[in-house]
Amino acid sequence: MYEEIKENFNYIRVENTKKVYYGGQIVLEIGKNVKIPEAKFGVSGRKKYKEKSYKSFEDYKKFKQSLLKKEYKNIIDCEVKGITIKYSSKHEPNKENYDNLVKLLENYKEYLENNYKEKLEESYKTYTKTTILIKQKFKSLEECLKFRYNLVTSTGGHPPFSKSDFTNLKLIVDYEKIKNKQAFFEDLKEAVDIYNKEIGGQDEKIVQESLFIDSNINKINRKLEKMNVELEPIEEEFGFKLQTEKENKNCRCDNIYLNTKDNSIVFMEVKYNEGVIKTTEDNPGIASHLDDIYNLLYNDKNKLEKEKRLAALSTRTTNKYKFYGNEKNAKELNKEKEKYFIIFCAYSKSNKEAVKKAIKEELEENKGNKIIKRLKEKGTTTILLTALVEDVKEVLNSKGKNKYVNIEKIDEVL
């Protein structure tokens, strides 16, 4: 199985559960079972429900069409624990909308626990969130998605409901039954490509994963050669928890690399175009990420978190060499060496000046330069790269099988 997957996907996160990435998304999780993560099967497509919705189930279904083929009917099983129904305190009870939900659930009552009507009625009277359990698997992925679509659209924005959705949807793939593995992988990629193109908001993640392919790594390494830094990809989405003087929060660094010159850690934060560079209440910009890395590495409140996360990262690094059959060239992560933090600001063809202006304002007005200085004093060097890349939209519209962005040129190293 893994040899086939390695040939078709650029990056696999090596843990007890292997996570296969494509287009900046996790597309397969391989543990006791092979699963397709449910994220790409959401109904709204965005956090704000009214911002992006679908006109009909057929409109929604087109985003998943490649995985709804007949040959996958008995290969992709849908497991749902239940449906969660939430109410909004801003509205008075609305009997018509409630009755519409009851009618919908009646169509799927064979899947629901016997007392679902009583639970629904009680929650409606008290405005209390409720979860109705589901007893068995759906007959097909399409039937499952149709129920989910109708459930979300009949409650989202319809008082007294705020929104309802499935609880813990699992799409389990019977991998051995797939007759044409190559075709399945291409269908899986197509579902992500269409999602990324039509729903949007994923451009930065596409750029992020593209910085793991050899051609782009080689271009970055040539730029960093004089700094005695040579990158080797380790993993995407390095997560950690922080305690600071102000708050506790969950954080993430986009990409992690090994500096093969001394086996030290290289953190990388990826930004695409000017809109995400500056730190605001809604957006963690460059200064925010610099501060997060400083607090992880040098704030005593996070000493145990640092030790735990870096130890786990070291283990995953070792496991990755084994997984890819490269134990002879295995390198052990040196957690005590001087570290590097790369801010990689990519821009499309017409956005160079806007990106440079946003960086300047972020470093000066939001005090990014002061944090860079503090990091340097403690032993972590910050490197800022700005680079022209292929426009993400052009890549998604291309007919090429691999939707990876290519670096066209790297401008600066600070």
Side-chain angles (χ1 to χ4, degrees):
M1 175 197 298
Y2 287 120
E3 291 307 313
E4 297 165 333
I5 293 173
K6 288 175 190 176
E7 290 175 6
N8 283 274
F9 296 94
N10 181 61
Y11 172 64
I12 301 172
R13 184 183 175 103
V14 182
E15 299 175 290
N16 290 334
T17 297
K18 310 295 187 297
K19 296 180 181 178
V20 182
Y21 283 72
Y22 173 76
Q25 318 293 335
I26 299 173
V27 293
L28 288 174
E29 294 181 347
I30 306 168
K32 292 181 180 178
N33 298 305
V34 178
K35 300 175 185 175
I36 301 173
E38 69 161 314
K40 293 290 132 322
F41 293 87
V43 175
S44 65
R46 299 225 183 161
K47 291 181 181 179
K48 296 180 181 178
Y49 177 77
K50 292 183 179 179
E51 185 178 344
K52 178 69 181 181
S53 58
Y54 306 95
K55 296 177 182 178
S56 66
F57 176 65
E58 292 302 313
D59 184 35
Y60 164 72
K61 195 171 72 170
K62 72 182 181 183
F63 294 92
K64 335 292 176 187
Q65 198 67 55
S66 62
L67 295 175
L68 297 177
K69 295 177 179 177
K70 289 181 180 179
E71 54 261 45
Y72 301 140
K73 184 173 181 180
N74 297 316
I75 289 174
I76 303 176
D77 286 333
C78 312
E79 291 188 0
V80 185
K81 287 187 176 180
I83 59 174
T84 300
I85 298 167
K86 299 179 181 179
Y87 295 83
S88 171
S89 59
K90 297 178 181 179
H91 300 292
E92 292 296 320
N94 185 303
K95 189 68 166 58
E96 182 181 355
N97 290 336
Y98 172 78
D99 288 342
N100 287 336
L101 178 59
V102 173
K103 289 176 185 177
L104 170 66
L105 296 182
E106 274 289 288
N107 293 330
Y108 297 95
K109 63 182 179 181
E110 65 179 294
Y111 295 115
L112 305 179
E113 60 181 324
N114 293 330
N115 65 335
Y116 81 91
K117 280 188 176 180
E118 289 86 346
K119 292 179 75 171
L120 186 63
E121 185 175 351
E122 178 63 24
S123 69
Y124 175 68
K125 289 179 179 178
T126 60
Y127 263 45
T128 307
K129 181 181 79 171
T130 187
T131 297
I132 296 170
L133 302 181
I134 289 179
K135 295 185 292 186
Q136 60 191 55
K137 297 177 184 178
F138 286 86
K139 297 183 180 74
S140 68
L141 176 58
E142 182 163 346
E143 183 187 40
C144 174
L145 295 182
K146 188 170 185 177
F147 183 18
R148 186 176 198 180
Y149 173 83
N150 289 331
L151 174 67
V152 173
T153 55
S154 66
T155 56
H158 297 287
F161 309 105
S162 57
K163 187 179 177 181
S164 303
D165 205 345
F166 282 171
T167 304
N168 195 19
L169 169 64
K170 294 181 180 179
L171 304 176
I172 300 175
V173 180
D174 192 336
Y175 188 83
E176 298 306 319
K177 284 186 179 179
I178 302 174
K179 293 180 180 179
N180 188 332
K181 304 290 197 300
Q182 187 68 40
F184 172 72
F185 293 144
E186 294 305 321
D187 287 334
L188 194 57
K189 290 178 181 179
E190 184 181 328
V192 175
D193 287 340
I194 293 173
Y195 179 91
N196 284 342
K197 180 181 175 182
E198 299 295 335
I199 298 298
Q202 305 296 320
D203 295 4
E204 190 172 284
K205 291 183 71 65
I206 295 170
V207 174
Q208 174 190 333
E209 189 177 331
S210 296
L211 301 184
F212 267 27
I213 64 173
D214 290 343
S215 59
N216 284 334
I217 289 293
N218 292 337
K219 290 173 185 175
I220 296 173
N221 282 339
R222 285 196 291 271
K223 200 71 178 178
L224 299 178
E225 192 172 9
K226 292 180 181 178
M227 303 187 70
N228 201 37
V229 176
E230 183 178 74
L231 304 182
E232 185 172 300
I234 297 298
E235 72 176 44
E236 290 186 52
E237 298 181 338
F238 174 71
F240 52 96
K241 297 179 180 179
L242 284 183
Q243 295 183 53
T244 69
E245 284 66 26
K246 295 181 179 179
E247 60 181 340
N248 296 337
K249 62 177 182 176
N250 294 320
C251 303
R252 189 179 69 193
C253 183
D254 289 331
N255 291 351
I256 301 290
Y257 300 85
L258 186 75
N259 178 12
T260 60
K261 297 291 186 179
D262 61 8
N263 293 353
S264 60
I265 305 168
V266 181
F267 302 92
M268 179 186 283
E269 188 61 37
V270 181
K271 299 294 182 185
Y272 179 61
N273 284 334
E274 68 276 10
V276 291
I277 287 173
K278 297 183 72 174
T279 299
T280 65
E281 187 176 339
D282 298 324
N283 177 68
I286 290 175
S288 175
H289 290 298
L290 286 165
D291 196 50
D292 288 345
I293 291 296
Y294 181 87
N295 276 295
L296 174 67
L297 298 179
Y298 305 116
N299 187 331
D300 286 341
K301 290 177 179 289
N302 301 300
K303 185 177 180 181
L304 292 177
E305 177 72 0
K306 171 188 171 182
E307 291 174 355
K308 183 172 75 171
R309 297 299 180 185
L310 294 189
L313 180 61
S314 181
T315 299
R316 289 196 296 270
T317 301
T318 303
N319 290 343
K320 187 165 186 177
Y321 283 105
K322 292 179 181 177
F323 180 74
Y324 280 95
N326 196 21
E327 290 183 69
K328 290 182 179 179
N329 299 315
K331 302 174 184 68
E332 188 171 334
L333 192 66
N334 191 327
K335 301 187 290 295
E336 306 306 320
K337 278 280 187 180
E338 179 177 336
K339 302 168 183 66
Y340 293 87
F341 183 35
I342 298 175
I343 304 289
F344 190 97
C345 295
Y347 59 85
S348 50
K349 292 172 184 176
S350 60
N351 292 75
K352 179 178 180 179
E353 294 307 316
V355 165
K356 290 177 69 175
K357 181 175 182 290
I359 292 172
K360 186 174 186 296
E361 291 173 353
E362 179 73 348
L363 295 181
E364 294 177 1
E365 295 175 13
N366 283 334
K367 303 178 181 178
N369 281 328
K370 289 187 177 181
I371 308 173
I372 290 173
K373 183 178 178 182
R374 285 163 55 206
L375 281 165
K376 182 64 177 175
E377 289 170 351
K378 292 287 188 177
T380 294
T381 299
T382 302
I383 301 170
L384 175 64
L385 301 178
T386 58
L388 172 64
V389 301
E390 291 181 7
D391 186 80
V392 172
K393 294 295 185 292
E394 292 178 8
V395 172
L396 288 176
N397 286 330
S398 72
K399 295 181 180 179
K401 289 185 178 180
N402 294 319
K403 306 293 185 181
Y404 296 113
V405 171
N406 289 316
I407 297 174
E408 296 182 31
K409 65 173 181 175
I410 300 176
D411 305 301
E412 301 168 12
V413 181
L414 295 185

